[in-house]
Amino acid sequence: MKIGMFDSGVGGLNVLKEFIKVYPNNQYYYYGDTKNIPYGDKDKETLLKLSINIIKFFIEKNVDLIIIACGTISSTCIKELRNITTIPILDIISPTIQYLKKNPANKILVFGTKRTIENHIFKNNLTNVIEVSTPEFVPMIENNHVDTLIIKSYLKNYIDIDILVLGCTHYPLLINEFKKYLKDETKILDMGKILVNTIPLKNNSVSSIKLYFTKIDKVLEENIKKIIKTSYTIEQI
Ligand code: DGL
């Protein structure tokens, strides 16, 4: 199966990593729009333009399935994107919302980008949710420069939460930092892990991982190596 996956940068690679673990024998095409990162502070019109461009790229690649490995695009553009192609498109947020409906908790904290939080996709679908926009996290991750004090300043008011939802696909890269300020019982939800467990895919005999980024530099290449441990090709487009 040919699977196209995309995000603004390395965040969606956390989703790709989960897919490679469960379905190693597929052809993966990953598109990271690093030239336009971050997506989280952009308006709907801009996000639509950028993501339509990416969908067209996947149509040309003849993929069988498209996965929006980005919380921001999933919460902003899913309907419009589904209207432009007959290729099935999966978003990254819905399976996590379904999971939380089946597994409710008293206090759920969602961290996300400014756009995702302003869309209120979690609050509109669930109860007991506190949504918090954390715009500093994506640049921290992409620049490989974690600021513990900023992370602490966000979490210090929420140490009693039952579930922390990583509402942006970049955030699994900060999981060890988050754990420092949460009680041991707090469950941390990684949307990529939830998505991969909800869709039955066929493995086929061919396996390849092709990464495409709109801007490539040394820090990006280092970040990719930290996430994807199997062999891949990388190309700037
Ligand atoms: N990783 C993306 C998300 O899940 C985009 C982050 C950004 O570029 O602001 O929202």
Side-chain angles (χ1 to χ4, degrees):
M1 195 174 194
K2 284 188 183 180
I3 302 173
M5 230 179 245
F6 73 96
D7 181 38
S8 58
V10 294
L13 292 178
N14 291 310
V15 182
L16 178 60
K17 181 180 93 181
E18 299 304 329
F19 274 77
I20 296 167
K21 258 191 241 164
V22 182
Y23 301 109
N25 298 321
N26 269 312
Q27 288 168 271
Y28 293 102
Y29 295 85
Y30 182 89
Y31 189 117
D33 194 6
T34 31
K35 206 168 114 192
N36 294 299
I37 200 165
Y39 275 3
D41 63 2
K42 296 191 168 44
D43 59 23
K44 180 168 179 169
E45 202 193 331
T46 309
L47 293 173
L48 254 181
K49 221 188 263 170
L50 295 171
S51 51
I52 287 173
N53 216 16
I54 300 172
I55 299 293
K56 284 185 184 156
F57 171 84
F58 288 136
I59 294 172
E60 268 171 34
K61 293 285 176 204
N62 225 351
V63 300
D64 305 299
L65 173 70
I66 296 171
I67 294 174
I68 308 177
C70 171
T72 305
I73 299 292
S74 295
S75 65
T76 311
C77 308
I78 181 78
K79 264 195 221 141
E80 290 85 350
L81 296 183
R82 282 189 178 139
N83 280 339
I84 62 162
T85 177
T86 51
I87 301 169
I89 303 183
L90 297 176
D91 77 280
I92 191 77
I93 293 183
S94 306
T96 295
I97 289 178
Q98 292 314 317
Y99 173 92
L100 286 165
K101 281 186 176 165
K102 282 189 209 134
N103 302 277
N106 284 333
K107 230 176 173 189
I108 303 165
L109 174 65
V110 179
F111 279 161
T113 65
K114 184 170 173 280
R115 175 65 39 227
T116 300
I117 297 305
E118 283 177 4
N119 289 335
H120 293 306
I121 188 157
F122 289 93
K123 239 186 183 155
N124 290 342
N125 286 288
L126 298 161
T127 48
N128 303 338
V129 174
I130 309 158
E131 293 178 315
V132 176
S133 155
T134 51
E136 297 91 342
F137 290 0
V138 168
M140 245 187 229
I141 293 161
E142 291 286 335
N143 300 327
N144 211 352
H145 193 270
V146 175
D147 187 330
T148 313
L149 284 179
I150 293 182
I151 293 172
K152 188 179 175 188
S153 73
Y154 277 109
L155 276 170
K156 68 173 194 292
N157 301 321
Y158 303 109
I159 42 171
D160 59 335
I161 53 161
D162 303 306
I163 296 179
L164 170 64
V165 179
L166 308 180
C168 165
T169 52
H170 276 75
Y171 300 175
L173 293 165
L174 295 175
I175 207 159
N176 290 331
E177 290 296 320
F178 296 148
K179 280 184 182 164
K180 285 184 194 165
Y181 307 106
L182 294 168
K183 46 181 193 182
D184 291 345
E185 312 85 81
T186 303
K187 210 171 177 167
I188 302 181
L189 296 189
D190 176 331
M191 300 191 295
K193 283 193 169 61
I194 295 179
L195 173 68
V196 77
N197 288 316
T198 56
I199 49 164
L201 287 183
K202 276 187 215 137
N203 261 318
N204 64 21
S205 50
V206 197
S207 87
S208 68
I209 303 169
K210 295 189 170 143
L211 310 180
Y212 302 87
F213 284 87
T214 48
K215 189 176 153 223
I216 297 177
D217 61 22
K218 257 213 151 87
V219 182
L220 175 72
E221 282 179 326
E222 279 164 23
N223 282 336
I224 296 170
K225 270 190 209 135
K226 272 192 238 156
I227 306 170
I228 305 295
K229 305 287 184 192
T230 41
S231 65
Y232 53 80
T233 61
I234 178 167
E235 197 180 307
Q236 180 159 317
I237 43 165

